[in-house]
Amino acid sequence: NAGVTQTPKFQVLKTGQSMTLQCAQDMNHNSMYWYRQDPGMGLRLIYYSASEGTTDKGEVPNGYNVSRLNKREFSLRLESAAPSQTSVYFCASSVFSGLPYNEQFFGPGTRLTVL
Amino acid sequence: AQSVTQLDSHVSVSEGTPVLLRCNYSSSYSPSLFWYVQHPNKGLQLLLKYTSAATLVKGINGFEAEFKKSETSFHLTKPSAHMSDAAEYFCVVSETGNQFYFGTGTSLTVIP
């Protein structure tokens, strides 16, 4: 099992460019999440998908869109990148959301720089 | 509202000495609590989680955490630090299992 995979690992964009971060999991998990990690701020939830066909906003959704393509894949899109979106992005999955003790499994991250 | 405060942004210990990483939480309900570890340039890995079955929770690599409701704390401990323990540690709270709130992290340095 590869677990949670993310592509690309690194990306440099210019302000105003768009891009999509890809995430896939092979654990048959129902729920998937996108986080951003900034120095001194921990991880903050951008969007999550409790199950295939549903998505919900997290703590910092502005400037992002998501697509739950199927049970395995959950993509994050930046339509018009801004320097404030420079960050490390993590995808995670869990068996179900809404359950107590629901641990998450994380991908290796995508390091994005917006110039 | 739920939140987590990690009381130390950096902790340094000597190899073989005890580790204490402090976490206080705020929650209106009985929360789920987790500790994750992140090694440099890696993703996060679950160390342990509070399941309400026992207040003292044992995790991987010799780590433990004790849930103290009266003090709203969930501190992480290890009796003897190893060089491989050097990493960033995150305390996480969740009331619903849908949204998870991370602390700002504690960077652990282990001095040989």
Coordinates of all heavy atoms in Angstrom, one line a residue, chain A residues 33 35 37 40-45 48 50 57-59 88 90 94 96-109 111, chain B residues 31-34 36 38 41-46 49-53 88 90 92 94-105:
Chain A
Y33 N -9.0 15.2 3.3 CA -8.8 16.5 3.8 C -7.6 17.2 3.1 O -6.7 16.5 2.7 CB -8.5 16.4 5.3 CG -9.4 15.6 6.2 CD1 -9.2 14.2 6.2 CD2 -10.4 16.1 6.9 CE1 -10.0 13.4 6.9 CE2 -11.2 15.3 7.7 CZ -11.0 13.9 7.7 OH -11.9 13.1 8.4
Y35 N -4.9 20.4 4.0 CA -4.4 21.3 5.0 C -3.3 22.1 4.4 O -2.6 21.7 3.5 CB -3.8 20.6 6.2 CG -4.8 19.8 7.1 CD1 -5.1 18.5 6.8 CD2 -5.3 20.4 8.2 CE1 -6.0 17.8 7.7 CE2 -6.2 19.8 9.1 CZ -6.5 18.4 8.8 OH -7.4 17.8 9.6
Q37 N 0.3 24.2 5.9 CA 1.1 24.3 7.1 C 2.0 25.5 6.9 O 2.8 25.6 5.9 CB 2.0 23.1 7.3 CG 2.9 23.2 8.5 CD 3.7 21.9 8.8 OE1 4.0 21.2 7.9 NE2 4.0 21.7 10.0
G40 N 5.0 28.3 12.4 CA 4.5 28.9 13.7 C 2.9 28.8 13.8 O 2.4 29.3 14.7
M41 N 2.3 28.2 12.8 CA 0.8 28.2 12.8 C 0.2 26.8 12.8 O -1.0 26.6 12.7 CB 0.3 29.0 11.6 CG 0.7 30.4 11.6 SD -0.1 31.4 10.4 CE -1.7 31.5 11.2
G42 N 1.0 25.7 12.8 CA 0.5 24.4 12.8 C -0.2 24.1 11.5 O 0.1 24.8 10.5
L43 N -1.1 23.2 11.4 CA -1.8 22.9 10.2 C -3.2 23.4 10.3 O -3.9 23.3 11.4 CB -1.9 21.3 10.0 CG -0.8 20.6 9.3 CD1 0.4 20.6 10.2 CD2 -1.2 19.2 8.9
R44 N -3.7 24.0 9.2 CA -5.1 24.5 9.2 C -5.8 23.9 8.1 O -5.3 23.7 6.9 CB -5.0 26.1 9.0 CG -4.4 26.8 10.2 CD -4.4 28.3 10.0 NE -3.4 28.6 8.9 CZ -3.4 29.8 8.4 NH1 -4.2 30.8 8.7 NH2 -2.4 30.1 7.4
L45 N -7.1 23.5 8.4 CA -7.9 22.8 7.4 C -8.4 23.7 6.3 O -9.0 24.8 6.7 CB -9.0 22.1 8.1 CG -10.0 21.3 7.3 CD1 -9.2 20.0 6.8 CD2 -11.2 20.8 8.2
Y48 N -12.6 19.7 3.4 CA -12.6 18.3 3.6 C -13.8 17.7 2.8 O -14.7 18.4 2.5 CB -12.7 17.9 5.1 CG -13.9 18.3 5.8 CD1 -14.9 17.4 6.0 CD2 -14.1 19.6 6.3 CE1 -16.1 17.7 6.7 CE2 -15.3 19.9 7.0 CZ -16.3 19.0 7.2 OH -17.4 19.3 7.8
A50 N -16.2 14.5 3.4 CA -16.6 13.4 4.3 C -16.9 12.1 3.6 O -16.7 11.0 4.1 CB -17.9 13.8 5.1
K57 N -16.2 23.4 3.6 CA -15.2 24.3 3.9 C -14.6 24.0 5.3 O -15.3 23.6 6.2 CB -15.7 25.7 3.9 CG -16.1 26.2 2.5 CD -16.7 27.6 2.5 CE -17.1 28.0 1.1 NZ -17.7 29.4 1.1
G58 N -13.3 24.3 5.4 CA -12.6 24.2 6.7 C -12.4 25.6 7.2 O -13.2 26.5 7.0
E59 N -11.3 25.8 7.9 CA -10.9 27.0 8.5 C -10.5 28.1 7.6 O -10.8 29.3 7.8 CB -9.8 26.7 9.6 CG -9.5 27.8 10.6 CD -8.4 27.3 11.5 OE1 -8.0 26.1 11.5 OE2 -7.9 28.2 12.2
V88 N 3.2 24.8 2.7 CA 3.3 23.4 2.5 C 1.9 22.8 2.6 O 1.2 23.1 3.6 CB 4.2 22.7 3.4 CG1 4.3 21.2 3.1 CG2 5.6 23.3 3.4
F90 N -0.7 19.6 2.8 CA -0.9 18.2 3.1 C -2.3 17.7 2.8 O -3.2 18.4 3.2 CB -0.5 18.0 4.6 CG 0.9 18.1 4.9 CD1 1.4 19.3 5.5 CD2 1.8 17.1 4.7 CE1 2.8 19.4 5.8 CE2 3.1 17.2 5.0 CZ 3.6 18.3 5.5
S94 N -9.1 9.5 6.2 CA -9.5 8.8 7.3 C -10.7 7.8 6.9 O -11.3 8.1 5.9 CB -9.9 9.6 8.5 OG -11.1 10.4 8.2
F96 N -13.7 7.2 8.3 CA -14.9 8.0 8.2 C -14.7 9.3 8.9 O -13.8 9.4 9.8 CB -16.0 7.3 9.0 CG -16.6 6.1 8.3 CD1 -16.3 4.8 8.7 CD2 -17.5 6.3 7.2 CE1 -16.9 3.7 8.1 CE2 -18.0 5.2 6.6 CZ -17.7 3.9 7.0
S97 N -15.4 10.3 8.6 CA -15.4 11.5 9.4 C -16.6 11.5 10.3 O -17.5 10.7 10.2 CB -15.5 12.8 8.5 OG -16.7 12.8 7.9
G98 N -16.6 12.3 11.3 CA -17.7 12.4 12.2 C -17.7 11.4 13.3 O -18.7 11.3 14.0
L99 N -16.7 10.6 13.4 CA -16.6 9.6 14.4 C -15.5 10.0 15.4 O -14.5 10.6 15.0 CB -16.2 8.2 13.9 CG -17.2 7.6 12.9 CD1 -16.7 6.2 12.5 CD2 -18.5 7.3 13.7
P100 N -15.7 9.7 16.7 CA -14.7 10.1 17.6 C -13.5 9.2 17.4 O -13.6 8.1 16.8 CB -15.3 9.7 19.0 CG -16.4 8.8 18.7 CD -16.9 9.2 17.3
Y101 N -12.3 9.6 17.8 CA -11.1 8.9 17.7 C -10.7 8.6 16.3 O -10.0 7.6 16.0 CB -11.1 7.6 18.5 CG -12.0 7.7 19.7 CD1 -13.0 6.7 19.9 CD2 -11.9 8.7 20.6 CE1 -13.9 6.8 21.0 CE2 -12.7 8.8 21.7 CZ -13.7 7.9 21.9 OH -14.5 8.0 23.0
N102 N -11.1 9.4 15.4 CA -11.0 9.2 14.0 C -9.6 9.7 13.5 O -9.5 10.9 13.2 CB -12.1 10.0 13.3 CG -12.1 9.9 11.8 OD1 -11.8 8.8 11.3 ND2 -12.3 11.0 11.1
E103 N -8.6 8.8 13.5 CA -7.3 9.3 13.1 C -7.1 9.5 11.6 O -7.8 8.9 10.8 CB -6.2 8.3 13.6 CG -6.3 7.0 12.8 CD -5.3 6.0 13.4 OE1 -5.7 5.3 14.3 OE2 -4.2 5.9 12.9
Q104 N -6.2 10.4 11.3 CA -6.0 10.7 9.9 C -4.6 10.2 9.5 O -3.7 10.1 10.3 CB -6.0 12.2 9.7 CG -7.3 12.9 10.1 CD -7.3 14.4 10.0 OE1 -6.4 15.0 10.5 NE2 -8.2 14.9 9.2
F105 N -4.5 9.9 8.2 CA -3.3 9.4 7.6 C -2.8 10.5 6.6 O -3.6 10.9 5.8 CB -3.4 8.1 6.9 CG -3.8 7.0 7.9 CD1 -5.1 6.8 8.3 CD2 -2.8 6.1 8.3 CE1 -5.4 5.8 9.2 CE2 -3.1 5.1 9.2 CZ -4.4 4.9 9.6
F106 N -1.6 10.9 6.7 CA -1.1 12.1 5.9 C -0.2 11.7 4.7 O 0.6 10.7 4.8 CB -0.4 13.0 6.8 CG -1.3 13.8 7.7 CD1 -1.7 13.3 8.9 CD2 -1.7 15.1 7.4 CE1 -2.6 14.0 9.7 CE2 -2.5 15.8 8.2 CZ -3.0 15.3 9.4
G107 N -0.3 12.5 3.7 CA 0.6 12.4 2.6 C 1.9 13.1 2.9 O 2.0 13.7 4.0
P108 N 2.9 13.0 2.0 CA 4.2 13.6 2.3 C 4.3 15.1 2.1 O 5.3 15.8 2.5 CB 5.1 12.9 1.2 CG 4.2 12.6 0.1 CD 2.9 12.3 0.7
G109 N 3.3 15.7 1.5 CA 3.2 17.2 1.4 C 3.7 17.7 0.0 O 4.4 17.0 -0.7
R111 N 5.3 21.3 -1.5 CA 5.8 22.6 -1.1 C 5.6 23.6 -2.2 O 6.2 23.4 -3.3 CB 7.3 22.5 -0.7 CG 7.9 23.7 -0.1 CD 9.4 23.4 0.3 NE 9.4 22.4 1.4 CZ 9.3 22.6 2.7 NH1 9.2 23.9 3.1 NH2 9.4 21.6 3.5
Chain B
P31 N -13.8 15.8 23.9 CA -13.1 15.8 22.6 C -12.3 14.5 22.4 O -12.1 13.7 23.3 CB -12.1 17.0 22.8 CG -11.8 16.9 24.2 CD -13.0 16.5 25.0
S32 N -11.9 14.3 21.1 CA -10.9 13.4 20.8 C -9.6 14.2 20.8 O -9.5 15.3 20.3 CB -11.1 12.8 19.4 OG -12.4 12.1 19.4
L33 N -8.5 13.5 21.3 CA -7.2 14.2 21.3 C -6.2 13.3 20.7 O -6.2 12.1 20.9 CB -6.9 14.5 22.8 CG -7.7 15.6 23.4 CD1 -7.6 15.6 24.9 CD2 -7.3 17.0 22.9
F34 N -5.3 13.9 20.0 CA -4.2 13.2 19.3 C -2.9 13.9 19.5 O -2.8 15.1 19.7 CB -4.5 13.1 17.8 CG -5.9 12.6 17.5 CD1 -7.0 13.5 17.5 CD2 -6.1 11.3 17.1 CE1 -8.3 13.1 17.1 CE2 -7.4 10.9 16.7 CZ -8.5 11.8 16.7
Y36 N 0.6 13.9 17.0 CA 1.2 13.5 15.8 C 2.7 14.0 15.8 O 3.0 15.0 16.4 CB 0.6 14.2 14.6 CG -0.7 13.5 14.2 CD1 -1.9 13.9 14.8 CD2 -0.8 12.6 13.2 CE1 -3.1 13.3 14.4 CE2 -2.0 12.0 12.8 CZ -3.1 12.4 13.4 OH -4.3 11.8 13.0
Q38 N 6.1 14.9 13.3 CA 6.5 15.2 11.9 C 8.0 15.3 11.9 O 8.6 16.2 12.4 CB 5.9 16.5 11.4 CG 6.2 16.8 10.0 CD 5.7 18.2 9.5 OE1 5.5 19.1 10.3 NE2 5.4 18.3 8.2
N41 N 10.8 17.4 6.7 CA 10.4 17.2 5.3 C 9.6 15.9 5.1 O 9.7 15.3 4.0 CB 11.7 17.1 4.4 CG 12.4 18.4 4.4 OD1 11.8 19.5 4.3 ND2 13.7 18.3 4.6
K42 N 8.9 15.5 6.1 CA 8.0 14.3 6.0 C 6.6 14.7 6.3 O 6.3 15.8 6.8 CB 8.5 13.3 7.0 CG 9.9 12.8 6.8 CD 10.0 11.9 5.6 CE 11.4 11.3 5.5 NZ 11.5 10.5 4.3
G43 N 5.7 13.8 6.1 CA 4.3 14.0 6.5 C 4.1 13.7 8.0 O 5.1 13.4 8.7
L44 N 2.9 13.7 8.5 CA 2.6 13.5 9.9 C 2.3 12.1 10.2 O 1.6 11.4 9.4 CB 1.5 14.4 10.4 CG 1.8 15.9 10.6 CD1 2.0 16.7 9.3 CD2 0.7 16.5 11.5
Q45 N 2.7 11.6 11.3 CA 2.5 10.2 11.7 C 1.8 10.3 13.1 O 2.3 11.0 14.0 CB 3.8 9.5 11.8 CG 3.6 8.0 12.2 CD 5.0 7.3 12.4 OE1 6.0 7.9 12.5 NE2 4.9 6.0 12.4
L46 N 0.8 9.5 13.3 CA 0.1 9.4 14.6 C 1.0 8.7 15.6 O 1.5 7.6 15.4 CB -1.2 8.6 14.4 CG -2.0 8.5 15.7 CD1 -2.7 9.8 16.0 CD2 -3.1 7.4 15.5
K49 N -3.6 8.4 20.5 CA -4.9 9.1 20.5 C -5.6 8.7 21.8 O -5.5 7.6 22.4 CB -5.7 8.7 19.3 CG -6.1 7.3 19.2 CD -6.8 7.0 17.9 CE -7.2 5.5 17.7 NZ -7.9 5.3 16.4
Y50 N -6.4 9.7 22.3 CA -7.2 9.5 23.5 C -8.6 8.9 23.1 O -9.3 9.5 22.3 CB -7.4 10.8 24.2 CG -8.4 10.8 25.3 CD1 -8.3 10.0 26.4 CD2 -9.6 11.5 25.2 CE1 -9.2 9.9 27.4 CE2 -10.5 11.5 26.2 CZ -10.4 10.7 27.3 OH -11.3 10.6 28.2
T51 N -8.9 7.8 23.7 CA -10.1 7.1 23.2 C -11.2 7.1 24.3 O -12.2 6.5 24.2 CB -9.8 5.7 22.8 OG1 -9.4 4.9 24.0 CG2 -8.8 5.6 21.7
S52 N -10.9 7.7 25.5 CA -11.8 7.7 26.7 C -11.8 6.4 27.4 O -12.4 6.3 28.5 CB -13.2 8.2 26.3 OG -14.0 7.1 25.8
A53 N -11.2 5.3 26.9 CA -11.1 4.1 27.6 C -10.2 4.2 28.8 O -10.4 3.5 29.8 CB -10.7 2.9 26.7
E88 N 9.1 17.6 15.0 CA 8.1 18.5 15.4 C 6.9 17.7 15.9 O 6.5 16.7 15.2 CB 7.7 19.4 14.2 CG 6.7 20.5 14.5 CD 7.5 21.8 14.9 OE1 8.7 21.9 14.6 OE2 6.8 22.7 15.4
F90 N 2.8 17.7 17.2 CA 1.6 18.5 17.2 C 0.5 17.8 18.0 O 0.3 16.6 17.9 CB 1.0 18.6 15.7 CG 1.9 19.4 14.8 CD1 2.8 18.8 14.0 CD2 1.8 20.8 14.8 CE1 3.6 19.5 13.2 CE2 2.6 21.5 14.0 CZ 3.5 20.9 13.1
V92 N -3.5 17.7 18.7 CA -4.7 17.9 17.9 C -6.0 17.6 18.7 O -6.0 16.6 19.4 CB -4.7 17.1 16.6 CG1 -5.8 17.4 15.7 CG2 -3.3 17.2 15.9
S94 N -10.4 17.3 18.4 CA -11.5 17.3 17.5 C -12.8 16.9 18.3 O -12.7 16.0 19.1 CB -11.3 16.2 16.4 OG -12.5 16.2 15.6
E95 N -13.8 17.7 18.2 CA -15.1 17.4 18.8 C -16.0 16.5 18.0 O -16.7 15.6 18.5 CB -15.8 18.7 19.2 CG -15.2 19.5 20.2 CD -15.9 20.8 20.5 OE1 -16.8 21.2 19.7 OE2 -15.6 21.5 21.4
T96 N -15.9 16.7 16.7 CA -16.9 16.1 15.8 C -16.3 14.9 15.0 O -17.0 14.1 14.4 CB -17.5 17.1 14.8 OG1 -16.4 17.6 14.0 CG2 -18.1 18.3 15.6
G97 N -15.0 14.9 14.9 CA -14.4 13.9 14.0 C -14.4 14.4 12.5 O -14.0 13.7 11.6
N98 N -14.9 15.6 12.3 CA -14.9 16.2 11.0 C -13.8 17.2 10.8 O -13.1 17.2 9.8 CB -16.3 16.9 10.7 CG -17.4 15.9 10.3 OD1 -17.1 14.9 9.7 ND2 -18.6 16.2 10.7
Q99 N -13.7 18.1 11.8 CA -12.7 19.1 11.7 C -11.7 18.9 12.9 O -12.1 18.6 14.0 CB -13.4 20.5 11.8 CG -14.3 20.8 10.6 CD -14.4 22.2 10.2 OE1 -13.4 23.0 10.4 NE2 -15.5 22.6 9.7
F100 N -10.5 19.1 12.5 CA -9.4 18.9 13.5 C -8.6 20.2 13.7 O -8.3 20.9 12.7 CB -8.5 17.8 13.0 CG -9.1 16.5 12.8 CD1 -10.0 16.2 11.8 CD2 -8.9 15.5 13.8 CE1 -10.6 15.0 11.6 CE2 -9.6 14.2 13.7 CZ -10.4 14.0 12.6
Y101 N -8.3 20.5 14.9 CA -7.6 21.7 15.2 C -6.2 21.4 15.8 O -6.1 20.7 16.8 CB -8.4 22.6 16.2 CG -9.7 23.1 15.5 CD1 -10.8 22.3 15.5 CD2 -9.7 24.3 14.9 CE1 -12.0 22.8 14.9 CE2 -10.9 24.8 14.2 CZ -12.0 24.0 14.2 OH -13.1 24.4 13.6
F102 N -5.2 21.9 15.1 CA -3.9 21.6 15.5 C -3.3 22.7 16.3 O -3.6 23.9 16.1 CB -3.0 21.5 14.2 CG -3.2 20.2 13.4 CD1 -4.4 20.0 12.8 CD2 -2.2 19.3 13.4 CE1 -4.6 18.8 12.0 CE2 -2.4 18.1 12.7 CZ -3.5 17.9 12.0
G103 N -2.4 22.3 17.3 CA -1.6 23.3 17.9 C -0.5 23.8 17.0 O -0.4 23.3 15.9
T104 N 0.2 24.8 17.5 CA 1.2 25.4 16.6 C 2.5 24.6 16.6 O 3.5 24.9 15.8 CB 1.6 26.8 17.1 OG1 1.9 26.8 18.5 CG2 0.4 27.7 16.9
G105 N 2.6 23.5 17.3 CA 3.7 22.6 17.2 C 4.8 22.9 18.3 O 5.0 24.0 18.7

